[in-house]
Amino acid sequence: MRSYHLESFGAVEGIVLRDRGGPRPEPAGPTGIVVALRAASLNKRDLLILERRYPLPAAPGVVPLSDGAGEVVAVGRR
């Protein structure tokens, strides 16, 4: 599985694509879902996070992208 992660602050280059390998993720709890993203966007919120101007703190390693489109590939069991 590949995903973008915040590696450093200041510029868009701080968002890095990583290959995580390992098993496919499972839904987190009974109401969780897993989405295979087909497209993601970098929006104003993401740029504020990079500039450390977003009200909530972000730590390196977090997946910062907040908008995306894809296919639900797994749902939690109720």
Side-chain angles (χ1 to χ4, degrees), residues 16-75:
V16 177
L17 182 61
R18 283 199 225 155
D19 188 354
R20 294 183 55 188
R24 184 164 133 184
E26 294 293 324
T31 60
I33 64 171
V34 175
V35 177
L37 284 182
R38 304 288 184 233
S41 67
L42 189 63
N43 64 26
K44 178 78 171 176
R45 175 186 170 271
D46 303 315
L47 295 176
L48 290 173
I49 289 171
L50 283 170
E51 296 170 354
R52 293 185 179 214
R53 295 190 308 138
Y54 192 71
L56 301 175
V62 71
V63 178
L65 304 173
S66 55
D67 294 325
E71 174 186 0
V72 175
V73 294
V75 296

